[in-house]
Amino acid sequence: MNNSLYNPIKATIVATKQMTATEKWFKIELENKKDLNHNPGQFVEVSLLGLGEAPISISSSPTQRGYFELCVRQAGKITAALHKLKEGDNLGIRGPFGHGFPIDELKGKDLLFIAGGLGIAPLRSLINYVIDQRKDFGKVNILLGCKEPKQLLYTDELKKWEKLTGISFRCTVDRADPDWKGNVGLITNLIPGIDIDVKQTYAIVCGPPIMYKFVLVKLMEKNIPDKQILVSLERKMKCGLGKCGHCQINGLYCCQDGPVFSYDKIKKVEGAI
Amino acid sequence: MKYSLIEKLKISELVVWLKNKQYKVVGPKAKENQFVYGDLDSPDELKLEHKPPVLALKKYYLPQEENLLNFSFGETKGKEVDVSNNFTVVFGAHTCDIAGVICLENACDIEPKDNNFFERNKNILIIGIECLKPCDEYATCVTMGTHNPKGGYDLMLTDIGNQYLVHVNSQEGLNVVANDKIFVDADSEYISKVNRIRTDKTNVFNKQLNVAENEIGVLLGRTVKSPVWDDIGKRCLSCGNCTNVCPTCYCFDVRDEVNLAVTEGRRYRVWDSCQLKEFAEVAGGENFRKDRKKRQQHRLFRKFKYPIEKYNRNFCVGCGRCSRTCMAKISLIETINSLAKESI
């Protein structure tokens, strides 16, 4: 099987929802309802033969069997074509790829999720895993930020998270609209007020590239140890196999060594953050 | 250790014999004022005395363009394309180019393995030729330690006058020298002769870099803020020539192409270059290496630093191609030596 690594598996879209002007949600089943067998934090290459592939984070928890979910932002040629697909359409899937979140290491620990914008999509795979396996984990804080209320993703689900007893959920927007009753301001403003036991808290961060620097400063002010800060990084994962070179962060291949890294591993890697 | 001898006049006969065995025989040929590796239609085309051909041997292992899948438009799964199994003899490769293949093998061997490389690798026989003098002012083979044969070949020719001494380094090589119409056995006196040749070589080959091979990566790591890099960043044209000609650069792009009727198509991979502006740019527009300086740094770090950490070997084989081909005259020797001078 020479090129089987490059051959996608057939999958079918079983539900979609336009979430915002630019983000669309897809529920996908692999052929014969096979499980994707992913870890939270991993990604897949979504393939449209004739157009190409796009790396997309898996946004559902592996505790949900028989299907998985993606949240796709329309940003380029492939994602524009994906947005045109509807229920019943087929697409190709390769993966899952990369290292996701270290679930075993996180068990028994307190978790502080920090998501900016579309960064909620990969974190949601872990958040929902934690919700489904709640007793395995300690305190859970979720901070979510985005530019405007109309860009908020998974709005119905956010309301559920707000009501869950074992979870503290906070949300902020950079710019409010007249109906917005929540926090206004950058996500970094939410961090100082969070009550956490730094010794046993893992911070799990995903957002636009610009966000990391500012969030990391706030986490350091809290004295969270570097190896307890997990970031999920975006790069151009073209092959997913650690070969093509596009996603390289210095000596690391984001697609294989990441996309989830603990901060102590990349702290001294120039250009990583 | 097995050595054989071949009269220089019998090289043509050897090429013909190999071709008659239905092997594809490729080697350095003259093209305009340069050399290229290409199919030897006739043995006269083989130029054993040559400077590094424009493209290195990687084109036989990881072709410039390679089909991965064929598909019917609208399908979600493709038909996997097999690697063709033509047995190929590479005739007359320099030791630096052979070292380049070993680097590629290291990179392709990391899981998940690049099966296409290994499919081709097992069907390629290498007959190398040892250099007795440096190619030109661009080569850094002495610093990189690639001017002497160090494995990676089936047979290695060393010029000893009217004959070549042939080091047999594999069973496949042994099968070739078993042809006693072309080869004769060499006795032990020739081993001391080849040792003498290697000693004599040190008089004509000079070290070109003022840094030891195993210290270049450390030097690069220490000098990232040096103005030498600003100068390179200003001069670089981002054409990607340096990576295309590099024997150890293996980055690629994956592309799709459909026919005009939009019924059939193919997914293929094609050489790509980290020196091109779009290389690390994601769909949202963020570019993780948007400066030419950063891209040039990345290229040299990928030759001298990261592979040391990963494979304990440099991914520069000292062939000099990157400097020879650079339109902006960015020279590896000048870069490394300038950085070395600054860091004193």
Side-chain angles (χ1 to χ4, degrees):
Chain A
M1 280 298 160
N2 288 328
N3 288 313
S4 56
L5 291 172
Y6 293 96
N7 209 356
I9 297 170
K10 187 177 176 178
T12 308
I13 297 169
V14 292
T16 69
K17 187 184 172 189
Q18 191 72 41
M19 298 172 93
T20 67
T22 48
E23 274 89 11
K24 191 167 176 175
W25 168 85
F26 294 89
K27 183 177 173 185
I28 295 167
E29 279 178 14
L30 294 181
E31 211 168 25
N32 306 321
K33 285 203 169 194
K34 233 171 64 181
D35 277 318
L36 185 62
N37 285 324
H38 68 286
N39 288 321
Q42 286 189 297
F43 70 98
V44 288
E45 292 283 350
V46 180
S47 167
L48 296 172
L49 285 173
L51 281 173
E53 296 186 318
I56 309 285
S57 303
I58 303 156
S59 61
S60 57
S61 161
T63 47
Q64 293 162 271
R65 311 298 296 267
Y67 68 90
F68 63 96
E69 296 169 29
L70 303 176
C71 172
V72 180
R73 171 175 289 174
Q74 186 174 333
K77 183 179 71 169
I78 314 295
T79 49
L82 274 173
H83 269 234
K84 290 195 183 119
L85 296 184
K86 47 194 193 307
E87 198 181 313
D89 285 341
N90 292 321
L91 42 70
I93 295 290
R94 285 194 307 127
F97 292 117
H99 277 87
F101 297 103
I103 297 281
D104 288 340
E105 194 181 327
L106 296 177
K107 283 184 180 163
K109 307 288 181 185
D110 296 346
L111 308 178
L112 168 60
F113 290 94
I114 302 173
L118 187 55
I120 189 65
L123 294 199
R124 179 177 174 264
S125 67
L126 181 59
I127 292 171
N128 281 337
Y129 181 91
V130 170
I131 290 172
D132 288 345
Q133 313 278 332
R134 188 63 193 86
K135 69 174 173 19
D136 290 345
F137 301 89
K139 273 168 62 182
V140 178
N141 275 287
I142 303 172
L143 308 182
L144 172 64
C146 75
K147 283 185 187 139
E148 298 168 277
K150 66 177 182 200
Q151 291 178 342
L152 274 175
L153 299 164
Y154 304 106
T155 42
D156 295 343
E157 202 163 310
L158 301 185
K159 281 176 201 143
K160 280 185 212 157
W161 291 354
E162 267 177 333
K163 286 178 193 140
L164 283 175
T165 45
I167 283 172
S168 156
F169 174 78
R170 260 161 272 201
C171 182
T172 185
V173 295
D174 298 353
R175 286 182 302 276
D177 62 20
D179 297 331
W180 182 252
K181 293 183 181 67
N183 298 303
V184 179
L186 296 173
I187 193 162
T188 42
N189 297 345
L190 296 181
I191 300 172
I194 296 285
D195 178 27
I196 51 168
D197 175 358
V198 291
K199 268 201 227 99
Q200 67 148 8
T201 298
Y202 274 70
I204 298 151
V205 188
C206 189
I210 183 83
M211 189 188 91
Y212 292 96
K213 281 190 190 93
F214 297 103
V215 165
L216 284 165
V217 168
K218 293 288 172 196
L219 293 176
M220 276 165 213
E221 284 171 6
K222 285 250 174 210
N223 292 317
I224 297 187
D226 292 345
K227 67 172 181 208
Q228 286 168 222
I229 300 174
L230 305 174
V231 295
S232 173
L233 298 182
E234 179 189 17
R235 287 297 185 276
K236 185 174 183 173
M237 281 88 125
K238 190 96 199 192
C239 71
L241 306 167
K243 304 287 179 203
C244 80
H246 289 84
C247 72
Q248 238 187 320
I249 307 170
N250 287 10
L252 301 165
Y253 281 94
C254 193
C255 72
Q256 291 269 316
D257 302 315
V260 175
F261 295 95
S262 64
Y263 183 56
D264 65 316
K265 296 263 166 56
I266 51 161
K267 194 179 173 178
K268 293 201 171 122
V269 177
E270 216 206 308
I273 297 287
Chain B
M1 242 192 258
K2 160 95 179 153
Y3 282 92
S4 289
L5 287 166
I6 179 171
E7 295 290 330
K8 282 186 174 172
L9 290 170
K10 288 200 169 177
I11 289 290
S12 293
E13 202 178 315
L14 174 58
V15 173
V16 171
W17 180 67
L18 291 166
K19 281 173 70 78
N20 286 342
K21 286 173 84 85
Q22 305 304 310
Y23 297 158
K24 185 165 108 163
V25 184
V26 302
K29 311 199 290 189
K31 187 178 181 185
E32 292 164 24
N33 57 349
Q34 302 192 74
F35 296 92
V36 292
Y37 285 115
D39 293 9
L40 299 176
D41 296 324
S42 117
D44 311 336
E45 288 181 305
L46 177 65
K47 302 290 177 213
L48 284 179
E49 273 205 32
H50 64 278
K51 284 186 193 180
V54 176
L55 295 178
L57 293 180
K58 73 174 171 188
K59 67 178 184 176
Y60 294 117
Y61 295 82
L62 299 166
Q64 279 146 298
E65 196 179 295
E66 169 174 31
N67 281 355
L68 301 170
L69 305 170
N70 289 322
F71 56 84
S72 302
F73 196 72
E75 290 292 309
T76 48
K77 269 181 85 79
K79 196 168 166 287
E80 287 152 32
V81 180
D82 283 335
V83 171
S84 70
N85 267 340
N86 264 356
F87 196 89
T88 302
V89 177
V90 174
F91 206 124
H94 284 176
T95 46
C96 59
D97 276 356
I98 294 168
V101 175
I102 296 175
C103 292
L104 293 180
E105 185 170 355
N106 273 247
C108 291
D109 204 25
I110 295 268
E111 292 289 344
K113 287 181 199 294
D114 192 297
N115 293 324
N116 292 8
F117 174 92
F118 290 100
E119 275 298 309
R120 294 195 177 88
N121 190 37
K122 71 179 184 209
N123 286 315
I124 295 178
L125 183 135
I126 296 183
I127 303 176
I129 183 154
E130 180 173 359
C131 300
L132 298 184
K133 59 178 192 328
C135 284
D136 57 21
E137 70 275 22
Y138 300 109
T140 57
C141 48
V142 182
T143 308
M144 302 318 295
T146 55
H147 61 312
N148 286 327
K150 286 183 179 166
Y153 52 84
D154 298 280
L155 298 175
M156 177 58 64
L157 311 179
T158 302
D159 189 337
I160 54 165
N162 292 328
Q163 298 163 307
Y164 290 108
L165 183 65
V166 185
H167 179 221
V168 183
N169 200 34
S170 72
Q171 183 58 47
E172 290 73 20
L174 197 61
N175 296 342
V176 173
V177 298
N179 181 340
D180 56 12
K181 287 192 184 111
I182 296 177
F183 294 92
V184 292
D185 282 351
D187 51 40
S188 57
E189 68 173 282
Y190 287 99
I191 298 178
S192 51
K193 194 161 188 171
V194 83
N195 288 336
R196 216 160 42 242
I197 286 172
R198 302 258 157 88
T199 320
D200 291 347
K201 266 169 83 168
T202 53
N203 298 324
V204 281
F205 279 88
N206 296 315
K207 282 216 173 191
Q208 305 88 346
L209 299 183
N210 302 332
V211 192
E213 180 217 7
N214 56 359
E215 286 168 5
I216 302 172
V218 181
L219 170 74
L220 293 179
R222 221 172 39 215
T223 52
V224 280
K225 296 208 164 73
S226 159
V228 171
W229 291 112
D230 298 323
D231 177 52
I232 290 170
K234 278 180 202 146
R235 285 157 65 196
C236 176
L237 301 165
S238 291
C239 67
N241 278 353
C242 51
T243 57
N244 278 330
V245 298
C246 179
T248 73
C249 275
Y250 54 85
C251 289
F252 58 85
D253 192 16
V254 181
R255 295 183 194 161
D256 287 15
E257 191 177 83
V258 287
N259 63 359
L260 278 176
V262 200
T263 51
E264 305 291 321
R266 63 178 184 131
R267 178 163 286 173
Y268 62 105
R269 61 179 182 183
V270 56
W271 290 359
D272 205 347
S273 172
C274 61
Q275 298 308 298
L276 305 182
K277 194 180 167 210
E278 308 76 20
F279 189 77
E281 189 178 279
V282 295
E286 185 80 28
N287 191 337
F288 295 96
R289 268 187 299 279
K290 57 178 180 293
D291 302 326
R292 283 172 291 169
K293 172 179 139 180
K294 289 274 175 222
R295 295 201 291 272
Q296 278 289 340
Q297 281 181 338
H298 183 65
R299 179 173 76 87
L300 291 198
F301 274 58
R302 288 200 64 177
K303 299 296 144 197
F304 300 103
K305 190 166 184 284
Y306 312 144
I308 289 279
E309 291 157 7
K310 208 163 181 174
Y311 314 106
N312 195 25
R313 69 169 72 237
N314 281 307
F315 264 40
C316 172
V317 297
C319 68
R321 283 185 178 87
C322 53
S323 310
R324 212 174 280 124
T325 197
C326 182
M327 294 189 286
K329 298 198 168 10
I330 294 172
S331 144
L332 179 75
I333 298 177
E334 193 185 293
T335 305
I336 303 286
N337 286 347
S338 304
L339 291 172
K341 206 168 154 187
E342 273 200 1
S343 77
I344 293 169

